Amino acid sequence: MKVKIGFEIHLQLATDRKMYCNCPTNYQEAKPNTNICPICTGTPGAKPLPPNESAINSAIEIALMLGCRVHSGEVIYIQRKHYDYPDLPSGYQRTSLPISSGGELEGVRIRELHFEEDPGQYDPVSGTVDFNRSGVPLVEIVTEPDIESPEHARRFLRSLMRALEYTGKVRPEAGGAMRADVNISVEGGGRVEIKNINSVRGAYRALKYEIMRQGKMFRRGESVVRETRAYLESQMVTVPMRTKETEEDYRYIPDPDIYPIIIEKSKVDEIRSKMPEPPIMREKRLSQQYGIPSNVAEVISSERELADLYEAVAIKVDPGLAATWFRTKLKKIMNYMGIRAVDLKFTPDQLAKVLNMVQSEKLTPEQGELVLRELARNPDEPERIVKRLGLAPVGENELRAEVERVIAENGRAVQDYISGKDEALNFLTGKVLKAVKGRADPRVVGEMIKKALDRV
Amino acid sequence: MTMEKMRRIRQGELSAAENLSGMLDRIKKLDGEIRAFIELNPNAPAEAERIDRRIQKGERVGKLAGLVIGIKSNINVFGLRATCASRTLENYISPYDAEVVRRIRAEDGIIVGMTNMDEFACGSSGETSAFGPTDNPAARGFIPGGSSSGSAAAVAAGFCDLSLGSDTGGSIRNPASHCGVVGLKPTYGLVPRQGLIDLGMSLDQIGPFSPDVSGVALMSEVICGRSENECAMLDAEKPEYLNNLEGGIKGLKVGISPKFAELTDSRIMDVVDAAVEKLEDLGAEVIEVDLPNLERALSAYYLIVSVEFFSATRKFDGRKYGKKIEEVCGEEVLRRIIRGSYISRKEHRGRFYQRALQVRTLIRQELLAAVDKVDVLVGPTVPKLPHRLGEKISVSDMYAYDYLTVPANLAGICAGVVRAGDVNGIPVGVQIQGKILGELKVLRAMKALEEAG
């Protein structure tokens, strides 16, 4: 069963000011209806200011990140899209014609990209509208229907989010700022549009559900007609939307209050010269330049700040060791703490020191991980952390004494070991480590016990 | 007249308070019948006294110091109602000043009140106001013209020194002509529209009324010029008209077109022809220009304005201003909304609106080419005489008032109107159209006609 999936994805641009007025954009923090003015509330007679240049620049950078051709030198109209909803103060939304087209990501062609403005937020329960969000700049990315499965969709969206996060020009997904509509057609059926998708996971689940639903209809001999459905996040299903909502005619007209924009080629060149390396390119480069496996390079380049940190550390220690630590221990700590690379406050130097201590066996890998965890929580010089945690390795004599003591006190386990039960060695090693509070390498301890018992 | 009053106020011969109270007395006495104002500004006397104190202290005062000014009810004045003469906005109190109002206040003009108008500026007679029709002070019982009916009538009746109107397809020039006052529609994009409630955004332009050309020049200086706070504006310096009005019109190239006579009542043409002769006598060179498609402007105009008006009125959805426009508006407003909604439908794309835009381009090219050959075009303002108040006329007859004024809006050029005579006691204004930013030559030609009497 052949499936074709395409996306229309809306994201908020991370600008300080709204698209057509100077109101601040921090609508989530502000009290309702405090970040507003005559312009973003559509007060009679209010005229838009010229479009927010930093929003347009952000949209250009995103387009370049996705390998799109920016329509520089062309006249780009800003249109009015009319529809009637309480959150839309003027009864229309301003939306630009495409500013770029023709990119590609994960085998999915980008059809076009343009900018828009967000409406306010309507609460149907209280019947009130908060216009703080009204006029916040958005970018809309439209793909061709090149996606072939929910898994492919998920891969594409993750890659897209990673590329957008690299630019730093969109509000993070965590803020609920991504909104997607998805078109899906399963071979033999009509095209179904699903609205109200708010996350990568939501997209995956909605598509899974929709393919299953359409499959069932096919098997029952029913035909799938063209329609618009809504995804219900809480129930993980899609439901039909009323036809009135889907057959709207937006009566697009160029906004007479805004002169069309023309993007200068020199501006595009300038943005291109300053923008970060796209994640896909960086992933490849990391793999080649540092000789690390591509799956490890993928993990490291999942966040721009993580990749930046890696490259700063990799010039000070063995890049292979650093890569392994990034992929396993550092990622584990970040996941545990629920933080992202941008939240890591220690310096590359401090991390490099920890790795060097491990490499020179001043710390065991387990101890190194403890130091790293502490470093992530309360950044400090690693030497001081080692001291504070009492991790300086025990002296050889002290260790040997502990080994002797444990052997003497655990006759039964010693007997087990001698009679061939290898697990007994682990038990004994554990006893020793506990006695020295982990300040020894388990492998070394194991060897010492083995040697001692072999002599018996 | 305006300049003389300005001088008297500055020199303390007439106080701003006296000027204002004189106006208020006249309003009280006569406006019950004229209906030029919808609402008066309760703060005006205090503002006048403040200006007087400053004059007494010898402080610097602005260009409009002590002059009494009426504002059309589609322009936001903080604290006053911008009703657009509609039930839709009858309780809408402006939360901000329009940019032009800010400029007037900065020059110490005293805003006396909000003038009557055709509802949402949809009309050419001044009769579609929800607050009742305005009478013509210069020809009682006849329509004052519209849509800036109250602003023209207020100046004609001596209720204020100057006023602001808005002109989308003739709404300043048409009532200026019928009421026998001077009006100017500046070049599109020369006056900020921030705060002007929309009719057709690509055509709307705020402009002044005055009893004389100097007053129009004075007010234009105050309101014209670039604004950082607006997108669709020309990047133009603040102009200086007042000190450049004199100097005559010797050698001024005056364009006329045979098209004007084809479309216009011959009694009106007689007045216009006489005005052209006066200009010629004063040294102007009269040149005939070709305007082959002029009459096509009207239908294109009504399609474009309806689509833009439909879009502009979507905010009057009954959620924020109490009343849904379609439920309370008058016939003509509803007609334009329905027409705009119909022709902007997806299935009609490329048929009406697109065609209208093409005609607009044609008219623009034609008019720009014509004014390129000359300095100004001189012709009639309205092709026929006004009807009596209350007389029923058809929609197409109503629209026909606009044949000669809409082309300037479609082309974005400036155009002024000055009284040139009368027919049976009804004033007739001559329309002088100029190049883009050609206001000064238009004003000079108007001044020359005014002085020639």
Side-chain angles (χ1 to χ4, degrees):
Chain A
M1 202 167 54
K2 213 167 145 37
V3 181
K4 283 171 133 191
I5 298 164
F7 277 107
E8 290 172 17
I9 299 154
H10 293 85
L11 294 133
Q12 287 180 338
L13 294 168
T15 57
D16 295 337
R17 305 278 149 192
K18 293 184 180 179
M19 195 72 216
Y20 298 104
C21 65
N22 285 325
C23 289
T25 51
N26 60 336
Y27 66 92
Q28 281 150 329
E29 299 150 28
K31 278 191 189 153
N33 293 313
T34 51
N35 288 349
I36 56 171
C37 72
I39 297 172
C40 58
T41 52
T43 306
K47 300 283 169 190
L49 300 187
N52 181 335
E53 206 176 328
S54 92
I56 295 176
N57 290 351
S58 297
I60 293 171
E61 182 169 332
I62 289 167
L64 293 174
M65 247 359 211
L66 303 177
C68 293
R69 182 184 69 81
V70 175
H71 299 174
S72 56
E74 292 173 27
V75 177
I76 299 167
Y77 282 94
I78 291 153
Q79 296 197 294
R80 291 182 174 187
K81 174 184 181 179
H82 301 90
Y83 63 92
D84 180 33
Y85 203 67
D87 64 7
L88 203 58
S90 296
Y92 56 81
Q93 181 187 29
R94 297 188 189 91
T95 163
S96 81
L97 288 176
I99 65 158
S100 72
S101 54
E104 191 269 340
L105 191 70
E106 296 287 346
V108 182
R109 287 168 299 158
I110 308 294
R111 181 183 295 168
E112 57 105 339
L113 186 149
H114 61 265
F115 59 88
E116 297 188 343
E117 58 177 345
D118 225 346
Q121 289 171 296
Y122 173 55
D123 176 3
V125 178
S126 65
T128 55
V129 182
D130 175 6
F131 287 111
N132 282 348
R133 197 181 70 180
S134 176
V136 168
L138 297 177
V139 65
E140 178 172 346
I141 299 164
V142 184
T143 78
E144 298 290 349
D146 290 345
I147 299 168
E148 291 164 338
S149 66
E151 289 73 22
H152 188 190
R154 183 167 61 188
R155 201 163 67 238
F156 165 75
L157 288 176
R158 281 186 180 157
S159 188
L160 176 69
M161 295 315 290
R162 181 176 67 160
L164 297 180
E165 281 167 18
Y166 259 55
T167 65
K169 305 293 187 199
V170 295
R171 279 166 205 273
E173 195 196 347
M178 170 185 147
R179 271 161 276 159
D181 299 338
V182 53
N183 286 302
I184 169 166
S185 35
V186 180
E187 197 168 20
R191 195 183 75 181
V192 173
E193 186 180 2
I194 309 169
K195 290 182 176 287
N196 203 25
I197 290 170
N198 297 315
S199 63
V200 176
R201 185 197 290 177
Y204 176 75
R205 285 178 173 167
L207 286 168
K208 274 282 195 202
Y209 174 83
E210 191 57 26
I211 290 171
M212 186 188 73
R213 186 186 71 86
Q214 295 190 17
K216 268 190 199 158
M217 289 179 75
F218 279 126
R219 282 193 294 280
R220 285 200 298 262
E222 296 168 26
S223 61
V224 175
V225 293
R226 187 171 172 157
E227 66 168 331
T228 302
R229 302 176 68 85
Y231 176 60
L232 301 183
E233 180 102 43
S234 54
Q235 299 165 46
M236 292 188 269
V237 298
T238 66
V239 293
M241 287 176 85
R242 280 177 293 137
T243 45
K244 190 174 171 291
E245 292 173 74
T246 63
E247 285 172 2
E248 247 169 338
D249 178 351
Y250 296 122
R251 293 179 163 84
Y252 287 101
I253 60 163
D255 192 321
D257 285 331
I258 307 171
Y259 285 148
I261 60 162
I262 295 177
I263 299 169
E264 301 293 335
K265 192 179 170 296
S266 57
K267 150 110 51 97
V268 178
D269 292 341
E270 191 196 326
I271 291 171
R272 195 195 306 272
S273 71
K274 286 183 188 158
M275 73 180 203
E277 184 180 19
I280 287 193
M281 318 268 284
R282 190 162 200 183
E283 190 181 313
K284 277 194 195 126
R285 182 175 62 77
L286 289 183
S287 175
Q288 285 168 6
Q289 186 175 337
Y290 299 101
I292 58 179
S294 59
N295 64 325
V296 179
E298 189 187 335
V299 172
I300 292 172
S301 56
S302 64
E303 296 173 48
R304 191 178 92 190
E305 294 80 5
L306 194 64
D308 290 346
L309 181 65
Y310 173 75
E311 293 207 73
V313 170
I315 53 170
K316 297 179 199 287
V317 299
D318 171 15
L321 176 78
T324 309
W325 272 67
F326 268 68
R327 186 179 66 89
T328 56
K329 301 198 162 45
L330 182 57
K331 272 304 255 187
K332 190 169 94 188
I333 290 167
M334 286 164 61
N335 287 342
Y336 180 74
M337 291 173 67
I339 58 170
R340 298 171 57 81
V342 68
D343 306 316
L344 293 171
K345 296 288 179 258
F346 56 77
T347 65
D349 231 31
Q350 290 169 333
L351 176 54
K353 273 185 198 158
V354 177
L355 296 182
N356 274 326
M357 286 180 189
V358 173
Q359 197 166 30
S360 61
E361 296 182 351
K362 282 188 191 127
L363 289 177
T364 66
E366 290 75 12
Q367 287 175 324
E369 193 176 335
L370 285 177
V371 176
L372 184 57
R373 192 181 298 166
E374 191 56 23
L375 195 58
R377 282 207 190 102
N378 303 302
D380 197 356
E381 283 312 305
E383 295 86 344
R384 274 211 285 273
I385 295 176
V386 167
K387 217 181 224 170
R388 197 165 69 228
L389 297 181
L391 290 180
V394 291
E396 209 177 327
N397 290 339
E398 194 187 332
L399 189 59
R400 185 157 297 129
E402 283 301 330
V403 168
E404 298 293 340
R405 189 180 59 78
V406 166
I407 288 174
E409 287 174 5
N410 294 277
R412 183 123 171 247
V414 171
Q415 281 308 315
D416 285 349
Y417 175 75
I418 292 170
S419 60
K421 287 185 183 162
D422 284 347
E423 313 89 87
L425 183 61
N426 291 342
F427 174 78
L428 293 168
T429 306
K431 285 277 180 195
V432 175
L433 286 175
K434 197 177 171 196
V436 299
K437 297 192 177 95
R439 292 175 300 153
D441 187 334
R443 284 159 288 266
V444 174
V445 174
E447 282 306 310
M448 283 173 76
I449 295 171
K450 234 161 132 187
K451 255 188 212 157
L453 293 182
D454 287 349
R455 281 202 306 270
V456 174
Chain B
M1 198 172 163
T2 309
M3 302 316 293
E4 173 62 10
K5 188 178 259 185
M6 235 174 90
R7 187 194 61 75
R8 289 176 61 211
I9 292 174
R10 275 163 191 275
Q11 297 185 352
E13 292 170 24
L14 174 73
S15 72
E18 284 164 355
N19 186 30
L20 177 69
S21 67
M23 298 293 186
L24 289 173
D25 286 348
R26 281 184 71 78
I27 292 172
K28 205 186 241 175
K29 208 162 86 195
L30 297 170
D31 203 36
E33 290 172 20
I34 303 289
R35 283 183 294 270
F37 283 97
I38 290 176
E39 179 170 68
L40 295 177
N41 178 10
N43 298 320
E47 287 169 25
E49 279 168 27
R50 229 177 0 253
I51 289 162
D52 282 332
R53 277 199 298 276
R54 284 171 50 201
I55 291 173
Q56 281 157 18
K57 283 190 209 157
E59 286 175 23
R60 204 202 76 85
V61 286
K63 280 181 185 176
L64 298 175
L67 295 183
V68 173
I69 291 153
I71 305 286
K72 189 174 180 179
S73 287
N74 59 355
I75 298 173
N76 279 273
V77 178
F78 178 78
L80 297 183
R81 287 186 303 156
T83 59
C84 292
S86 177
R87 294 285 164 225
T88 313
L89 289 177
E90 65 181 333
N91 297 315
Y92 168 65
I93 296 171
S94 296
Y96 70 110
D97 273 339
E99 177 63 23
V100 288
V101 171
R102 241 177 264 159
R103 291 180 180 188
I104 286 172
R105 290 194 201 277
E107 296 292 346
D108 298 320
I110 300 166
I111 290 162
V112 64
M114 307 300 290
T115 59
N116 206 351
M117 58 186 280
D118 278 297
E119 183 179 15
F120 279 104
C122 295
S124 310
S125 70
E127 294 169 300
T128 69
S129 166
F131 298 87
T134 304
D135 200 349
N136 187 337
R140 296 292 296 270
F142 287 91
I143 58 161
S147 66
S148 309
S149 46
S151 294
V155 167
F159 295 163
C160 55
D161 294 306
L162 301 168
S163 66
L164 287 188
S166 67
D167 189 314
T168 307
S171 283
I172 289 174
R173 291 161 287 158
N174 166 311
S177 177
H178 291 328
C179 293
V181 297
V182 183
L184 178 72
K185 180 207 95 72
T187 303
Y188 182 79
L190 181 58
V191 182
R193 287 179 297 128
Q194 187 73 264
L196 169 68
I197 300 177
D198 303 322
L199 169 55
M201 294 71 76
S202 71
L203 305 155
D204 294 340
Q205 191 65 96
I206 294 171
F209 288 97
S210 165
D212 55 8
V213 176
S214 298
V216 156
L218 171 69
M219 183 58 105
S220 298
E221 284 188 358
V222 172
I223 62 173
C224 289
R226 75 168 68 84
S227 163
E228 301 293 315
N229 296 324
E230 203 161 319
C231 194
M233 263 207 92
L234 297 174
D235 187 20
E237 295 291 334
K238 213 162 216 345
E240 277 197 35
Y241 300 134
L242 211 46
N243 294 328
N244 298 306
L245 280 185
E246 314 295 334
I249 53 159
K250 216 169 189 57
L252 189 81
K253 288 185 187 152
V254 168
I256 56 166
S257 167
K259 212 44 178 256
F260 295 152
E262 274 175 42
L263 297 167
T264 308
D265 186 314
S266 62
R267 291 169 295 175
I268 293 171
M269 270 326 283
D270 290 344
V271 176
V272 171
D273 290 341
V276 172
E277 273 173 36
K278 275 182 205 162
L279 290 172
E280 207 167 9
D281 291 346
L282 291 167
E285 181 190 348
V286 176
I287 299 164
E288 199 171 295
V289 297
D290 204 17
L291 298 171
N293 292 296
L294 195 69
E295 70 276 15
R296 292 178 200 271
L298 190 71
S299 47
Y301 167 82
Y302 271 98
L303 294 184
I304 291 167
V305 89
S306 298
V307 170
E308 293 189 7
F309 185 59
F310 166 77
S311 174
T313 51
R314 295 312 82 209
K315 65 180 59 166
F316 305 122
D317 54 13
R319 295 187 181 103
K320 296 191 293 297
Y321 308 104
K323 302 199 178 75
K324 189 170 155 82
I325 189 166
E326 289 88 346
E327 288 168 4
V328 296
C329 70
E331 241 178 52
E332 180 56 27
V333 166
L334 189 60
R335 183 178 294 118
R336 293 189 192 193
I337 290 174
I338 292 171
R339 185 192 298 125
S341 161
Y342 180 79
I343 67 177
S344 61
R345 264 150 72 165
K346 197 160 44 178
E347 67 259 41
H348 295 152
R349 186 173 290 177
R351 286 177 67 194
F352 305 112
Y353 187 53
Q354 229 64 28
R355 292 280 288 156
L357 292 177
Q358 286 166 352
V359 172
R360 178 179 190 164
T361 305
L362 180 75
I363 297 291
R364 189 179 160 84
Q365 287 167 348
E366 197 170 295
L367 259 182
L368 288 180
V371 291
D372 197 40
K373 275 195 223 134
V374 295
D375 292 311
V376 293
L377 279 178
V378 176
T381 309
V382 186
K384 52 184 184 171
L385 293 169
H387 60 270
R388 286 188 177 279
L389 272 173
E391 190 184 319
K392 278 270 168 224
I393 67 168
S394 70
V395 174
S396 56
D397 279 349
M398 186 66 86
Y399 288 0
Y401 278 121
D402 305 336
Y403 262 113
L404 302 168
T405 43
V406 297
N409 298 86
L410 292 179
I413 60 176
C414 61
V417 168
V418 62
R419 183 175 184 158
D422 63 83
V423 174
N424 302 332
I426 301 168
V428 169
V430 65
Q431 177 178 215
I432 303 182
Q433 304 180 67
K435 301 174 204 273
I436 284 176
L437 297 179
E439 276 78 2
L440 186 58
K441 282 186 174 156
V442 168
L443 288 168
R444 274 191 178 184
M446 286 162 70
K447 179 85 177 162
L449 275 179
E450 183 181 63
E451 282 173 354

